[in-house]
Amino acid sequence: MSRLLGVIDATNVVGGLQDLSLNRSVASIPFAGRYRFIDFILSNMVNSGVESVAIFPKHQYRSLMDHIGSGKNWDLDRKKDGLFFLPPFFEPNENSTVGSFARLDQHLDFFKRSHQDYVFIANSYVITNIDIEEALAEHLIHDHDITELVNHTHSLDMYIVKKSLLIELIENRKNSQFISVSDVVNQPLHNFNIGTYTHTGYAAIMNSIEAYFHHSMKLLDPTVWNQLFPADRPVFTKVKDEPPTRYSSASTVTNSMIANGAVIEGRVNSSIISRAVKIGRNSHVTNCVVMQKSQIGEGCTLEYVILDKDVRVLDGVTLKGSPEKPLVLRKGTVREMAVSM
């Protein structure tokens, strides 16, 4: 039985990702062709033996609930423990930081009734494959009050804390003036023993469109792909039964990831193509991220472009961004004019 209770703080609003989070929570932003941000931290927890996970959302979480469902795809549809979705009763008047005590307090009974001794608190916008059991072992060996997980000195905004201490911090927040777990870690004036666990593998902090595009392109590097998707620590996601991708005789695909259900009739190079995407004849797609069910017409040219879900690019359109500033077409957009940046 796992000693860890998992908490995913999906309340954080990342301003730099606004073009992709207008109609969804950050946790449900698509990534790597067939996954969502939350799949990675949720899979990390399951692969580390965590059997009870609570997700704290904030707003625009319909798509997140639809994606996660009962938690079956992560083996969390259990009679005991399993997956808990804990939306807020009201919105606290405070800054959105990871592990907000005001938000956790709204479901304090959940923590008091759980049988685990330690709590692993994480955000949903860091993409990595990490062994949380190793981090817990480090926490116990050094008898830390709170252990912060870092990657190359950068905080991952993930924390391990003893459950009894977390409950104490939540209940005493008005007297202590601490507003969150991350606030405790970052405040120098207290007597808590704060430690760190260094994750040496690949980690992507998704805090801007530029970071999203950069890390999406990094997936085409086999070394990065193998770190995020090792055979012994799979990343689980919602299963969708779709046919294999169909390639026409005139199509050409190089150095790209193509998800199932797509129809490729043009040329694709160094791009990530999601499920059920259609790329028309004589179209050239280079260094692009194309999300689910988007359609690119015939004779189009796309370079350094991110197409959100259900985008339509009409015949003959040219769209060009740059590596430093990729062009983003928001969900459901219909583009019939050329854009060059």
Side-chain angles (χ1 to χ4, degrees):
M1 182 179 294
S2 174
R3 302 179 67 182
L4 271 176
L5 174 67
V7 170
I8 300 177
D9 187 344
T11 66
N12 301 101
V13 177
V14 183
L17 292 171
Q18 187 176 25
D19 282 331
L20 299 178
S21 60
L22 283 177
N23 301 301
R24 60 167 74 93
S25 69
V26 169
S28 60
I29 292 177
F31 184 68
R34 60 190 299 263
Y35 301 93
R36 305 290 184 117
F37 280 7
I38 199 170
D39 292 341
F40 291 84
I41 190 60
L42 195 53
S43 297
N44 289 173
M45 291 181 178
V46 171
N47 289 330
S48 300
V50 177
E51 299 175 345
S52 183
V53 178
I55 299 174
F56 286 76
K58 183 178 181 181
H59 61 87
Q60 301 276 33
Y61 51 82
R62 183 197 58 79
S63 64
L64 182 61
M65 293 181 67
D66 176 70
H67 178 72
I68 294 174
S70 65
K72 180 178 180 180
N73 292 299
W74 296 267
D75 191 30
L76 290 172
D77 56 335
R78 300 163 177 261
K79 291 183 178 179
K80 184 179 180 181
D81 290 330
L83 182 70
F84 300 86
F85 207 82
L86 305 177
F89 303 138
F90 60 90
E91 185 55 37
N93 293 320
E94 64 178 38
N95 293 328
S96 180
T97 54
V98 175
S100 163
F101 295 145
R103 293 195 181 96
L104 299 183
D105 189 30
Q106 295 180 45
H107 296 281
L108 188 58
D109 283 349
F110 169 78
F111 294 98
K112 291 183 175 181
R113 292 176 181 177
S114 65
H115 59 81
Q116 292 84 0
D117 297 320
Y118 298 89
V119 183
F120 175 66
I121 299 175
N123 63 79
S124 61
Y125 52 81
V126 172
I127 308 298
T128 190
N129 201 313
I130 190 168
D131 190 338
I132 304 166
E133 288 181 299
E134 286 189 3
L136 176 61
E138 188 98 350
H139 178 86
L140 297 175
I141 288 172
H142 297 285
D143 195 27
H144 292 146
D145 292 315
I146 301 175
T147 294
E148 179 185 26
L149 280 66
V150 301
N151 178 255
H152 302 299
T153 72
H154 296 293
S155 175
L156 296 178
D157 285 334
M158 301 178 186
Y159 309 95
I160 294 176
V161 57
K162 193 169 185 178
K163 187 182 68 175
S164 58
L165 174 58
L166 178 63
I167 292 173
E168 179 183 330
L169 288 168
I170 293 171
E171 293 182 329
N172 295 335
R173 70 183 192 280
K174 293 182 180 179
N175 294 327
S176 68
Q177 301 299 308
F178 291 127
I179 64 172
S180 67
V181 177
S182 60
D183 185 39
V184 176
V185 169
N186 293 316
Q187 288 282 355
L189 300 177
H190 56 62
N191 295 320
F192 296 114
N193 179 13
I194 307 297
T196 59
Y197 169 81
T198 301
H199 172 56
T200 57
Y202 186 80
I205 300 174
M206 300 297 198
N207 53 13
S208 67
I209 291 296
E210 292 74 20
Y212 177 87
F213 182 78
H214 170 75
H215 290 295
S216 293
M217 294 296 101
K218 291 284 284 185
L219 293 175
L220 301 176
D221 180 345
T223 302
V224 172
W225 178 267
N226 290 332
Q227 288 189 59
L228 280 180
F229 299 94
D232 60 335
R233 296 183 62 82
V235 178
F236 305 102
T237 189
K238 181 179 180 179
V239 175
K240 292 186 178 181
D241 297 322
E242 291 180 293
T245 291
R246 179 165 63 87
Y247 301 89
S248 76
S249 58
S251 66
T252 302
V253 177
T254 55
N255 190 38
S256 297
M257 291 170 44
I258 312 291
N260 54 325
V263 177
I264 310 297
E265 297 178 337
R267 289 169 49 186
V268 180
N269 179 48
S270 298
S271 296
I272 297 176
I273 309 300
S274 299
R275 295 163 166 163
V277 166
K278 182 175 181 180
I279 299 176
R281 291 178 296 176
N282 299 317
S283 286
H284 298 174
V285 177
T286 305
N287 296 308
C288 292
V289 177
V290 184
M291 297 185 192
Q292 187 175 343
K293 295 183 180 179
S294 289
Q295 298 184 35
I296 299 171
E298 299 182 2
C300 299
T301 299
L302 277 68
E303 297 179 9
Y304 299 106
V305 180
I306 300 173
L307 270 61
D308 205 335
K309 290 178 61 177
D310 299 312
V311 170
R312 291 177 57 210
V313 179
L314 303 186
D315 295 348
V317 172
T318 295
L319 302 172
K320 293 186 178 182
S322 68
E324 298 76 21
K325 192 172 181 60
L327 177 64
V328 180
L329 271 63
R330 293 178 176 175
K331 182 178 179 181
T333 300
V334 177
R335 177 64 66 179
E336 56 184 342
M337 297 179 62
V339 177
S340 182
M341 301 179 67

